[in-house]
Amino acid sequence: MIHIRNFCIIAHIDHGKSTLADRLLEYTNTIQVTEGQMLDDMDLEKERGITIKSHAIQMEYNYKGEKYILNLIDTPGHVDFSYEVSRSIAACEGALLIVDATQGVQAQTISNLYMAIDHNLEIIPVINKIDMPSAMPEEVEDEIIELIGCDREDILRASGKTGEGIPAVLDAVVERIPHPTGDPKAPLQALIFDSVFNSFRGIIAYFKIENGSIKKGDKVKFFNTGMEYVADEVGVLKMDMVPKQQMNTGEVGYIISGIKNAKEVAVGDTITHVAVPCDKAISGFQEVKSMVFAGVYPIDPSDYENLRASLEKLQLNDASLTFTPESSVALGFGFRCGFLGLLHMEIVQERLDREFNMDVITTVPNVSYMVYDKHGEAKEVHNPSGLPDLMSIDHIEEPYIHATIITDTSFIGPIMTLCLDKRGELIKQEYISGNRVEIHFMLPLGEIVIDFYDKLKSISKGYASFDYHVDGFRPSKLAKLDILLNGESVDALSALTHVDNAVTLGRRMCEKLKELIPRQQFDIAIQAAIGAKIVARETIKCVRKDVTAKCYGGDVSRKRKLLEKQKKGKKRMKQIGNVEVPQKAFLAVLKLD
């Protein structure tokens, strides 16, 4: 046990975590690195160049003639996947804090660092990319010292690209990170920190043993669900899974026990023996809080059960996804899914398509609101259609976030304007070092859900970094905006929005739908309404056949007779005709600029 080190790599997006992990694996002869980012095994990760899942892998390292086992977990850097990071941190005793020598400390660096400090991890600061011509290691060292108060000698310099400084990083892992503490004689206690679905072997759970040991063939039970299984196979995670006869305290590995039902495995659960169970579960990590909600519906209604199965399998691999069944007049049966952010939502949609061949429609994303009625009772509403009668509502509260933006001083003006336009309140701003400033804002979550991050990146030329955490609910003036097509409400397009923005949003939605809904044989009226008041209207003119083409000359009453006949037909058609809203119209409304 004293020769085991469990550590993770944490950093902001694009600070070189996965590249550094490649060098560590190469240096310890764990694998031959044939292409960049070996641990990012999903096609999506390779295409986008981001880490979506945390990946665990075991390395062996000889230090002063003794063999050490190093369990490394590479984590994502994007704020939407912070739950992956928090779970990885729970399975470790130390963390490598990677900071880009060209960019310095950024918002997500600070956020992940605080998460690691809360779990009492030993932090090893590493400045990466020192081979770059634009690197400024001295300035970045000053920022790190100010952030964690370490000595200058404690900060390591490395390059994930050239491999410089990698031996020093491995030595520091062995020297500075404490070995796991646990009692090998105590009853088994193992924390599940991740799981994957394998179509041949069922559900594979990844765990870290806190106390005790587990052998192949042991009868085990999952503490919270109370289900009992036989450990058909246990082992460690290298590039592939390597079976072992026995796993001891402090080790990180996997268990296969033929579990078929996704509901039986909960991330954060504790594995123990049936014969000698432990008396309490390990206090794992907190429940995930979804930030953004959207309806996900199958394009073909008969795929509803397949979609449920696909979501359950995806949830195993991505514990931050939550879903509950719901139905919609326009779209039939589907699920209300909770995501951590817009990128997370996009990735889930893409994975449903690629891994499970599911074609889905996703509704406009929104956040959850607390609605208080006149009797003082609160109700959580995710969907505009779930709002109670307007007469019975006393007030509505919306979620606010505490946002931290770190940027160059030259971009303060545009960023302030952006935040104030989004109904933000400035809390404080502090200068970190040189010409970098940290700005703290209180912002309504609903305002930043759709396009805030993209706008922030474009106005700051990509320099501003952004991180946030939820900071309770506040009363707000909200209105429900309905979109009507020929007087019929389309519930999939309705939105809850602030009173000040409602009219402009309604106008923009009507204009966008006018471009995207194909013309029919009858006029289509597109209206935006708040309650009974119509605030915007656009009309899609009908496609009309030239019925008077055959009349050349003759009395005008012949033409009129034909036109009257056509008018009656159009009127009848309008009563029975229904308007199909194409999928691209739903998507375009999501991306309203």
Side-chain angles (χ1 to χ4, degrees):
M1 191 166 85
I2 56 170
H3 289 123
I4 297 175
R5 300 287 182 272
N6 299 320
F7 68 102
C8 59
I9 299 185
I10 53 177
H12 190 78
I13 315 156
D14 279 344
H15 280 206
K17 295 178 291 299
S18 302
T19 314
L20 196 83
D22 283 354
R23 293 292 83 75
L24 295 172
L25 297 175
E26 203 170 48
Y27 193 82
T28 54
N29 297 322
T30 307
I31 50 168
Q32 273 325 106
V33 176
T34 51
E35 54 180 310
Q37 285 88 25
M38 292 293 287
L39 292 179
D40 292 353
D41 50 9
M42 219 185 290
D43 289 343
L44 263 175
E45 294 181 310
K46 289 190 166 71
E47 281 165 31
R48 289 173 178 245
I50 57 175
T51 305
I52 293 168
K53 282 288 304 163
S54 40
H55 300 273
I57 189 162
Q58 190 180 88
M59 308 181 284
E60 290 176 2
Y61 180 57
N62 283 318
Y63 175 72
K64 293 186 178 167
E66 294 193 34
K67 194 171 94 174
Y68 285 85
I69 290 175
L70 312 180
N71 289 310
L72 152 74
I73 303 180
D74 178 28
T75 64
H78 197 284
V79 64
D80 280 14
F81 305 113
S82 55
Y83 192 59
E84 289 286 324
V85 184
S86 75
R87 301 208 315 268
S88 308
I89 285 174
C92 294
E93 280 85 32
L96 292 181
L97 179 73
I98 310 284
V99 183
D100 187 331
T102 61
Q103 308 221 1
V105 171
Q106 291 189 283
Q108 201 56 35
T109 316
I110 297 174
S111 167
N112 289 339
L113 171 71
Y114 287 160
M115 218 188 286
I117 290 173
D118 285 347
H119 280 80
N120 299 323
L121 298 201
E122 180 63 40
I123 310 290
I124 301 178
V126 179
I127 297 181
N128 193 18
K129 304 192 189 180
I130 56 164
D131 59 310
M132 301 277 280
S134 55
M136 353 164 259
E138 279 76 23
E139 288 93 321
V140 177
E141 274 186 359
D142 294 340
E143 288 180 18
I144 294 175
I145 290 167
E146 196 169 319
L147 183 65
I148 52 179
C150 60
D151 297 330
R152 199 171 282 275
E153 304 77 70
D154 295 346
I155 302 173
L156 305 174
R157 292 186 185 187
S159 163
K161 195 170 173 187
T162 62
E164 187 186 334
I166 295 299
V169 172
L170 286 163
D171 290 349
V173 167
V174 174
E175 288 164 10
R176 298 197 215 166
I177 293 177
H179 62 78
T181 53
D183 182 357
K185 302 275 189 294
L188 171 69
Q189 263 188 324
L191 175 73
I192 299 177
F193 66 90
D194 206 353
S195 54
V196 291
F197 180 80
N198 181 311
S199 43
F200 302 107
R201 316 202 61 181
I203 290 156
I204 304 170
Y206 296 166
F207 61 81
K208 178 199 173 189
I209 301 178
E210 300 279 346
N211 293 308
S213 61
I214 182 169
K215 290 191 192 70
K216 181 180 174 178
D218 278 353
K219 284 200 77 175
V220 294
K221 76 166 180 178
F222 288 9
F223 203 89
N224 291 342
T225 56
M227 306 291 279
E228 298 184 3
Y229 309 99
V230 174
D232 299 333
E233 184 182 306
V234 291
V236 295
L237 299 154
K238 297 238 170 156
M239 225 28 210
D240 299 311
M241 297 186 286
V242 182
K244 285 179 71 175
Q245 282 300 315
Q246 178 168 348
M247 302 274 294
N248 299 316
T249 308
E251 291 196 86
V252 172
Y254 70 91
I255 176 169
I256 299 177
S257 46
I259 304 170
K260 296 284 183 286
N261 188 350
K263 289 199 177 69
E264 293 173 24
V265 179
V267 166
D269 204 346
T270 303
I271 305 174
T272 186
H273 280 131
V274 174
V276 191
C278 58
D279 47 3
K280 67 179 197 314
I282 301 166
S283 57
F285 17 79
Q286 68 282 35
E287 269 294 294
V288 59
K289 283 289 286 174
S290 300
M291 303 286 179
V292 177
F293 296 89
V296 173
Y297 295 87
I299 286 179
D300 178 359
S302 61
D303 279 342
Y304 176 72
E305 281 305 323
N306 293 350
L307 180 59
R308 182 197 293 273
S310 305
L311 283 168
E312 281 178 358
K313 287 173 189 169
L314 195 56
Q315 195 178 31
L316 275 178
N317 197 261
D318 180 354
S320 49
L321 171 69
T322 56
F323 63 92
T324 49
E326 73 162 5
S327 62
S328 139
V329 181
L331 300 168
F333 289 102
F335 295 92
R336 184 105 202 125
C337 297
F339 307 98
L340 292 183
L342 229 62
L343 176 69
H344 185 214
M345 173 172 139
E346 207 177 306
I347 296 288
V348 166
Q349 220 174 327
E350 190 86 6
R351 285 181 72 181
L352 280 172
D353 180 29
R354 290 187 187 197
E355 295 171 27
F356 305 100
N357 294 327
M358 293 300 311
D359 285 337
V360 293
I361 293 179
T362 313
T363 62
V364 183
N366 53 24
V367 297
S368 56
Y369 297 95
M370 294 301 284
V371 179
Y372 289 85
D373 60 16
K374 298 266 169 61
H375 307 296
E377 286 180 20
K379 179 187 176 190
E380 195 170 355
V381 172
H382 303 302
N383 198 339
S385 58
L387 267 185
D389 182 33
L390 288 174
M391 300 307 291
S392 65
I393 295 176
D394 181 49
H395 67 282
I396 303 178
E397 292 187 352
E398 65 175 333
Y400 266 70
I401 58 160
H402 184 137
T404 310
I405 298 168
I406 296 180
T407 179
D408 209 270
T409 44
S410 50
F411 303 118
I412 290 182
I415 288 174
M416 290 278 195
T417 313
L418 173 69
C419 293
L420 293 169
D421 285 349
K422 299 279 186 191
R423 300 190 283 127
E425 292 169 27
L426 178 66
I427 302 171
K428 63 176 178 185
Q429 69 183 58
E430 14 185 51
Y431 288 84
I432 307 176
S433 64
N435 58 347
R436 297 182 52 170
V437 63
E438 186 176 343
I439 309 171
H440 294 262
F441 260 97
M442 286 298 280
L443 286 157
L445 181 61
E447 292 282 344
I448 68 152
V449 158
I450 293 183
D451 58 357
F452 180 81
Y453 191 66
D454 301 346
K455 281 186 177 169
L456 179 71
K457 280 290 179 199
S458 60
I459 61 176
S460 66
K461 302 197 170 96
Y463 276 113
S465 61
F466 172 67
D467 178 45
Y468 63 85
H469 57 265
V470 176
D471 198 285
F473 284 78
R474 292 188 183 187
S476 185
K477 279 182 159 177
L478 296 167
K480 181 185 174 192
L481 184 74
D482 287 311
I483 300 292
L484 312 173
L485 294 180
N486 280 345
E488 300 243 338
S489 168
V490 183
D491 62 346
L493 290 173
S494 60
L496 267 177
T497 176
H498 195 263
V499 172
D500 299 347
N501 307 342
V503 177
T504 46
L505 178 68
R507 201 166 287 146
R508 279 180 14 221
M509 280 171 94
C510 289
E511 285 164 8
K512 200 77 184 166
L513 288 169
K514 183 181 179 180
E515 291 168 27
L516 293 163
I517 293 177
R519 289 169 72 183
Q520 307 278 346
Q521 294 280 337
F522 50 91
D523 282 1
I524 304 172
I526 305 171
Q527 294 166 310
I530 298 173
K533 182 182 170 193
I534 305 291
V535 292
R537 172 183 169 128
E538 293 286 337
T539 309
I540 300 176
K541 282 301 191 192
C542 59
V543 183
R544 57 178 287 248
K545 184 180 168 191
D546 191 356
V547 287
T548 59
K550 60 185 179 186
C551 302
Y552 48 94
D555 192 47
V556 73
S557 59
R558 288 179 64 200
K559 281 187 179 175
R560 187 156 298 135
K561 183 178 153 197
L562 288 168
L563 289 168
E564 285 296 325
K565 192 174 172 187
Q566 186 188 34
K567 195 170 164 187
K568 274 188 189 146
K570 294 266 185 234
K571 192 173 174 187
R572 195 162 64 247
M573 220 183 258
K574 187 170 181 174
Q575 284 166 351
I576 60 164
N578 59 351
V579 186
E580 289 290 318
V581 182
Q583 166 69 8
K584 66 172 191 247
F586 286 111
L587 293 176
V589 171
L590 299 192
K591 296 189 170 71
L592 272 180
D593 41 50

